[in-house]
Amino acid sequence: MSKLRPSAQAVSNLMRMVGTSCSCPAHTAQGTVHVHNCSHRHASAATPRAEYAFEMATSTVRVGTGATREIGMDLANLRAKRVMVFTDPNIARLHPLKAVVESLDRAKVNHTVFSDVRVEPSDQSFQQAIDAARKYQPDAIVAVGGGSTIDTAKAANLYTVFGTAHLLDFVNAPLGKGRAVDRPLLPLIAVPTTAGTGSECTGSAIFDLKAKGAKTGIADRALKPMLGIIDPLNTRSMPTQVRLASGLDVLCHAIESYTAIPYHMRGPAPENPLQRPAYQGANPISDIWSSHALRMVAEALPRAVMDPSDTAAQDTMTLAAAYAGIGFGNGGVHLMHGCSYGISGLNRAYAHPEYPDDHPLCPHGISVAVTSPAVAEFTGSMNPDRHLEIAQVLGANVTNARREDAGSVLADALRGFLERLGVPDGISAFGYSSADIPALVESILPQHRVLKLSPRQTGAEQIATILERSLKNY
């Protein structure tokens, strides 16, 4: 098996896109797939046209050791007069926030700091931040922290501009109304302090919807920050378990984006381009970013976790997070993330080491990774070559592997990778048993935004099987 060659895959995708034969899932013989209406070139105007386009949207990123010192000048250049800085109680005591505040002070930019962001935010913590922003009425926003802080800042930005909107108005359907963002938001600058979520590059904001016992979110290109400042100095203070969890999120972002249903098989093209989802399915551009991020994670994450002094590995992970963010921010994620939203959302007692212990908390990256072997087994038949490529990158010998075994080969490679990193042994480590699977399935099924990007048709039975297979991994 050769190394990943995203450029060749991009050519293949483009050739398939413009080819004369129909390649929609309804006409794909291999495996169990989504069934959508096929739209041939001779289709009438009354027939919905299959998706034929994809978009590439991401934030501007600035990468450099010490680049945080420039943020004050950025906001002065924007002529910002009332800047609201979001962070969490831990980062509020550390170098990243100090560097931001000192830069704002040097540039004489007026600002206030909101330091009550909740790690793994909920609808209540989102609303608290929104209320504070609506009261302060900022003209620009800064997020200093991990994905929880950046996502909270995105929500505060959105609902400050839409000052009378209810929280659920923009939340993804069916849990929310899925309203589109149809006017510009305030400038948002993200300063990530973890190497994982890639939230500095995406238009997504994820939170726990407590009433439903599930994670959900808001996804719209308008939410993406105008600038992400990727400064390796801001990740130096990460505890080992935070480094592990955030790195696993990068890994799964890359895998899921690279194995998602191709964008042109997702369904009908939108009537208005404003309605084209941020998560579009695998596409030739996202493939390049995701596949390269995967190789970076496979090489750097074990080093970053095992050796806290390996700053080169840490720096690689900061870039990998952004690369994967660009990839999945346009291609999307599917079953690993879809299942994770139920796993973390229904957690009642588990608290992960080195994380805040004031509430039960299963870190997002951990909850995503624990189902990755079972998901690989399930999706392997749909794109066996890609599954074998990923397995090889993770260290598997695929020389004599059969394409029909691609899912199990990748699953075994993932189990070995996770076990070597000390990841908890399946969802039973969080207190779940077979008796909890029906409730987990019920919590996961509304995650339409990501489940529809699975390369195989996925319903309650398939999700239950994935969860059952994920009770123990080793």
Side-chain angles (χ1 to χ4, degrees):
M1 178 62 62
S2 62
K3 297 285 187 183
L4 285 169
R5 293 192 179 97
S7 58
Q9 186 64 54
V11 172
S12 173
N13 283 345
L14 287 169
M15 290 176 66
R16 182 170 63 249
M17 180 176 70
V18 300
T20 56
S21 62
C22 175
S23 58
C24 81
H27 291 175
T28 302
Q30 186 179 31
T32 304
V33 297
H34 293 282
V35 179
H36 301 299
N37 290 330
C38 171
S39 179
H40 295 279
R41 295 180 182 216
H42 57 264
S44 69
T47 304
R49 184 180 186 184
E51 182 62 281
Y52 61 94
F54 63 92
E55 299 182 15
M56 187 69 191
T58 190
S59 307
T60 297
V61 294
R62 179 182 301 146
V63 182
T65 302
T68 307
R69 69 172 64 98
E70 297 182 352
I71 193 169
M73 290 181 283
D74 291 318
L75 290 156
N77 292 339
L78 291 170
R79 295 179 171 81
K81 304 297 184 185
R82 293 177 63 82
V83 174
M84 192 165 192
V85 181
F86 288 85
T87 195
D88 66 58
N90 182 52
I91 296 298
R93 302 190 300 266
L94 300 175
H95 161 79
L97 183 69
K98 180 181 178 182
V100 167
V101 170
E102 287 178 350
S103 182
L104 294 175
D105 287 341
R106 282 196 304 272
K108 296 180 171 55
V109 175
N110 293 324
H111 60 276
T112 189
V113 176
F114 178 90
S115 60
D116 292 329
V117 169
R118 185 181 193 264
V119 177
E120 301 295 343
S122 65
D123 48 346
Q124 293 99 323
S125 72
F126 262 22
Q127 192 63 56
Q128 181 185 11
I130 290 165
D131 292 344
R134 283 174 169 172
K135 181 178 180 180
Y136 184 70
Q137 286 296 304
D139 57 6
I141 291 177
V142 172
V144 187
S148 297
T149 295
I150 300 173
D151 287 2
T152 298
K154 289 174 183 176
N157 188 0
L158 174 65
Y159 291 96
T160 298
V161 172
F162 291 84
T164 61
H166 184 273
L167 180 62
L168 291 180
D169 286 352
F170 292 96
V171 170
N172 305 312
L175 294 175
K177 296 180 180 179
R179 177 179 169 185
V181 182
D182 56 6
R183 62 179 183 262
L185 303 184
L186 302 172
L188 167 60
I189 299 179
V191 184
T193 61
T194 62
T197 67
S199 188
E200 67 274 12
C201 298
T202 75
S204 299
I206 307 300
F207 66 96
D208 284 321
L209 185 57
K210 291 298 186 180
K212 298 294 184 180
K215 276 187 179 286
T216 185
I218 307 161
D220 194 293
R221 293 178 184 86
L223 267 67
K224 70 182 188 300
M226 65 165 288
L227 173 65
I229 298 179
I230 301 172
D231 181 349
L233 293 179
N234 293 328
T235 69
R236 297 288 189 253
S237 59
M238 266 198 295
T240 298
Q241 287 299 313
V242 177
R243 200 175 298 281
L244 170 62
S246 58
L248 291 172
D249 199 19
V250 184
L251 173 70
C252 294
H253 286 157
I255 293 174
E256 291 173 87
S257 175
Y258 198 54
T259 59
I261 190 170
Y263 75 94
H264 60 284
M265 298 182 182
R266 189 188 69 248
E271 294 182 3
N272 186 316
L274 185 66
Q275 299 169 335
R276 181 167 284 114
Y279 287 2
Q280 302 162 90
N283 62 77
I285 298 179
S286 285
D287 288 350
I288 294 171
W289 291 97
S290 296
S291 58
H292 191 66
L294 174 67
R295 288 181 287 176
M296 296 169 76
V297 174
E299 188 274 330
L301 180 58
R303 289 168 47 201
V305 170
M306 302 300 181
D307 182 3
S309 68
D310 191 340
T311 56
Q314 295 171 21
D315 294 355
T316 297
M317 286 303 302
T318 63
L319 279 180
Y323 284 19
I326 295 170
F328 93 87
N330 294 278
V333 290
H334 52 85
L335 294 175
M336 298 173 198
H337 272 75
C339 290
S340 80
Y341 296 152
I343 293 167
S344 58
L346 290 180
N347 174 36
R348 294 294 177 263
Y350 179 79
H352 197 75
E354 298 185 311
Y355 273 80
D357 58 4
D358 59 335
H359 59 279
L361 194 156
C362 179
H364 174 64
I366 300 292
S367 68
V368 172
V370 290
T371 64
S372 62
V375 169
E377 289 175 336
F378 177 69
T379 60
S381 64
M382 294 316 303
N383 198 328
D385 291 337
R386 287 198 175 191
H387 284 68
L388 290 174
E389 288 176 345
I390 296 166
Q392 185 184 39
V393 169
L394 293 176
N397 183 348
V398 300
T399 303
N400 298 314
R402 301 182 304 171
R403 296 179 80 248
E404 55 265 37
D405 296 330
S408 61
V409 171
L410 176 54
D412 287 343
L414 283 163
R415 290 188 185 100
F417 190 79
L418 299 180
E419 186 173 19
R420 288 190 294 274
L421 290 172
V423 176
D425 187 10
I427 65 174
S428 63
F430 312 138
Y432 293 117
S433 68
S434 294
D436 298 306
I437 288 179
L440 286 167
V441 170
E442 185 178 356
S443 176
I444 292 164
L445 281 174
Q447 308 297 333
H448 294 180
R449 177 179 62 100
V450 293
L451 296 183
K452 69 182 180 183
L453 294 178
S454 168
R456 289 186 63 183
Q457 187 173 14
T458 308
E461 181 179 353
Q462 291 78 22
I463 293 171
T465 299
I466 289 170
L467 294 169
E468 191 75 43
R469 295 279 295 162
S470 300
L471 285 168
K472 300 282 278 187
N473 281 327
Y474 319 131

